[in-house]
Amino acid sequence: MEFEFWWLLAFPLFFALGWIAARVDIRQVVTESRALPNSYFRGLNFLLNEQPDKAIEAFLEVVKLEPETIDLHFALGGLFRRRGEFDRAIRMHEHLLEREYPQGHKGLAEEQRLRAMSELGQDYLKAGLLDRAEQVFGKLLETSQHGQARTHLLEIYVQEKDWQKAIDAARLLERDTSKPLNADIAHFYCELALLESAKGNSDAAAAQLQQALAANRQSVRANLMTGDLHAAAGRHEAAIAAWRLVETQSAGHMALVVDRVLGSYRQLGRVGEGVQWLRAFYARQPSHDVFNALYLAVSETEGAAAARQLAREELRRNPSLRTLDRLLEAEIVTADPEQRELLQVEKSLVASYSQRMMRYQCGSCGFKAKQFFWRCPACGRWDSFDPERGEGES
Ligand SMILES: [Zn+2]
């Protein structure tokens, strides 16, 4: 290719065109930023300085001056809800729901309206207005927001303890999202069984527990409750069999079961056999709570010397305050009167500490309780509690 002189003219021309294009862009950016009210930047500044109250005031001013800033409306509404200011969140989302959207953007307008509705439903839910929340999410079931609506409806039914509706909603949600919810569904059946049991309908309760196991073969709670039903009806052999199945599902959960098993052996007049079984289980799966049950059973059936020996071994294997408490207890029985007095002071000190510190704990949010929960009262998760009591800081 030969060099032509007119190319020398073309270079400055392209350069000039590029320069003009850049100027146009910059001018557009400047015009747009001028269109935003100053309060918007003030609000941002407050947010960056972690002064949310002042930021909200500034943003509310923007919203008044520029009613078209829909995303800012949504952001503010969400912020109010998170801060627990449900009245303001509800007002903000109702306004978004009722406002006139510009003509010609029908699809977009509908999308914004559904989004506002879903946000409003969440405001009601968080504010505890469950009836209203249920109504809103019910309307959203036939729309593009149906996935979220179903998730929230399930949450509402659980809060309302409407377990049959919860089962139906969870099954539909499972079908929609292919996320397994069988463990939760088994708990809903167990809750239904509890209601039947409280009414004295033990057959109906047993049927619900069967459903729980059909939904989730690993449901520890269903076997535990089946054992309870058998024991309450005096069928102790069957109760022991049901409870011992828990070991095949989750050995850790046996800590909740061992006292029950021993109780039924006692009812059958075969407590020695129960202790033998518990010793063997403890050898397979040693833990503090199981040790405690074994200690009590051994001191009852084999006497203080055997119990003391057991406590010494456990203290060496896994030192803890509650084992020390048990050892002191065993020492007191065999001590002479002079030693006994001092040992009693030591024991009451250790016991008060260990009782205060022994807690069940949610593995999800860290909530601690004296009682074991299948569903955490703080974060609402199922099966999040460790079945063994810890001795952490209280
Ligand atoms: Zn929790």
Side-chain angles (χ1 to χ4, degrees):
M1 192 181 288
E2 268 184 51
F3 181 80
E4 291 185 34
F5 280 102
W6 68 267
W7 287 3
L8 288 176
L9 285 173
F11 286 126
L13 185 66
F14 286 142
F15 181 78
L17 281 175
W19 187 81
I20 290 166
R23 292 292 297 174
V24 168
D25 272 347
I26 288 166
R27 218 172 275 164
Q28 198 176 341
V29 168
V30 169
T31 331
E32 271 176 12
S33 70
R34 271 196 204 126
L36 282 170
N38 279 338
S39 20
Y40 179 78
F41 293 102
R42 263 197 298 131
L44 267 185
N45 207 22
F46 284 132
L47 262 195
L48 292 172
N49 289 323
E50 292 181 17
Q51 289 175 284
D53 290 323
K54 288 187 176 171
I56 284 172
E57 268 175 44
F59 285 136
L60 279 175
E61 211 173 300
V62 181
V63 163
K64 258 185 241 154
L65 293 171
E66 299 280 326
E68 296 307 310
T69 50
I70 290 170
D71 280 317
L72 188 58
H73 280 76
F74 276 116
L76 272 174
L79 191 64
F80 287 141
R81 185 171 65 239
R82 273 199 300 283
R83 288 160 57 96
E85 296 177 50
F86 303 120
D87 275 1
R88 295 177 100 177
I90 288 169
R91 272 206 303 279
M92 191 62 86
H93 292 133
E94 274 176 347
H95 165 75
L96 281 170
L97 199 58
E98 286 154 12
R99 59 169 279 149
E100 293 281 320
Y101 288 92
Q103 294 291 317
H105 295 88
K106 212 161 178 244
L108 184 70
E110 184 58 12
E111 209 174 285
Q112 305 283 24
R113 224 174 50 77
L114 293 178
R115 188 174 157 204
M117 233 169 129
S118 174
E119 294 289 327
L120 188 61
Q122 291 176 57
D123 297 339
Y124 287 143
L125 180 57
K126 284 279 184 295
L129 302 167
L130 299 183
D131 285 354
R132 289 199 200 174
E134 189 178 342
Q135 250 178 4
V136 171
F137 290 123
K139 282 184 202 159
L140 285 171
L141 277 180
E142 302 301 320
T143 70
S144 58
Q145 299 272 335
H146 63 93
Q148 266 223 343
R150 231 185 268 293
T151 307
H152 291 305
L153 277 172
L154 176 57
E155 203 181 324
I156 292 167
Y157 298 142
V158 169
Q159 280 195 38
E160 287 176 337
K161 300 187 189 301
D162 193 335
W163 305 112
Q164 192 55 56
K165 276 190 179 172
I167 291 168
D168 298 340
R171 289 211 194 281
L172 287 170
L173 195 60
E174 245 185 349
R175 200 195 55 193
D176 276 6
T177 59
S178 54
K179 181 182 151 213
L181 287 169
N182 52 333
D184 291 26
I185 292 173
H187 277 296
F188 303 157
Y189 279 116
C190 288
E191 295 287 345
L192 285 175
L194 267 184
L195 295 176
E196 294 292 358
S197 222
K199 284 188 264 174
N201 303 332
S202 53
D203 287 347
Q208 298 290 4
L209 294 175
Q210 283 306 312
Q211 295 269 28
L213 282 167
N216 176 23
R217 299 252 34 111
Q218 293 305 314
S219 171
V220 166
R221 190 184 183 187
N223 278 330
L224 197 147
M225 287 176 66
T226 304
D228 286 349
L229 279 183
H230 285 310
R235 297 185 296 267
H236 292 287
E237 293 269 11
I240 291 170
W243 286 324
R244 283 175 57 172
L245 279 177
V246 170
E247 189 183 349
T248 63
Q249 297 174 307
S250 162
H253 280 88
M254 285 302 279
L256 303 171
V257 174
V258 285
D259 282 335
R260 289 167 154 98
V261 177
L262 270 180
S264 273
Y265 272 118
R266 195 171 286 117
Q267 290 294 324
L268 289 167
R270 286 156 41 193
V271 69
E273 200 182 318
V275 176
Q276 222 178 359
W277 165 79
L278 191 52
R279 263 192 193 281
F281 174 72
Y282 178 66
R284 288 196 294 278
Q285 192 72 30
S287 73
H288 286 315
D289 284 345
V290 174
F291 160 75
N292 200 44
L294 180 61
Y295 171 87
L296 291 174
V298 166
S299 56
E300 176 196 333
T301 55
E302 297 169 24
R308 190 178 57 187
Q309 181 59 29
L310 188 71
R312 279 192 181 159
E313 282 166 20
E314 170 68 11
L315 199 62
R316 256 184 238 122
R317 188 189 68 79
N318 193 0
S320 76
L321 277 180
R322 68 189 112 157
T323 312
L324 181 60
D325 181 29
R326 289 308 188 192
L327 180 61
L328 289 169
E329 186 181 302
E331 302 273 8
I332 287 169
V333 180
T334 47
D336 56 51
E338 211 175 298
Q339 276 181 317
R340 191 172 296 167
E341 209 184 326
L342 189 63
L343 283 170
Q344 253 153 1
V345 176
E346 287 177 15
K347 184 188 155 26
S348 69
L349 266 177
V350 171
S352 75
Y353 271 111
S354 96
Q355 288 301 319
R356 220 181 310 150
M357 291 168 90
M358 253 189 329
R359 292 284 184 273
Y360 291 104
Q361 188 172 16
C362 170
S364 178
C365 73
F367 178 78
K368 287 181 186 172
K370 278 188 182 176
Q371 194 192 334
F372 175 82
F373 288 100
W374 293 104
R375 177 173 181 255
C376 174
C379 69
R381 278 205 177 206
W382 293 96
D383 288 320
S384 63
F385 261 65
D386 189 340
E388 280 276 339
R389 280 173 295 186
E391 253 185 27
E393 293 290 311
S394 58

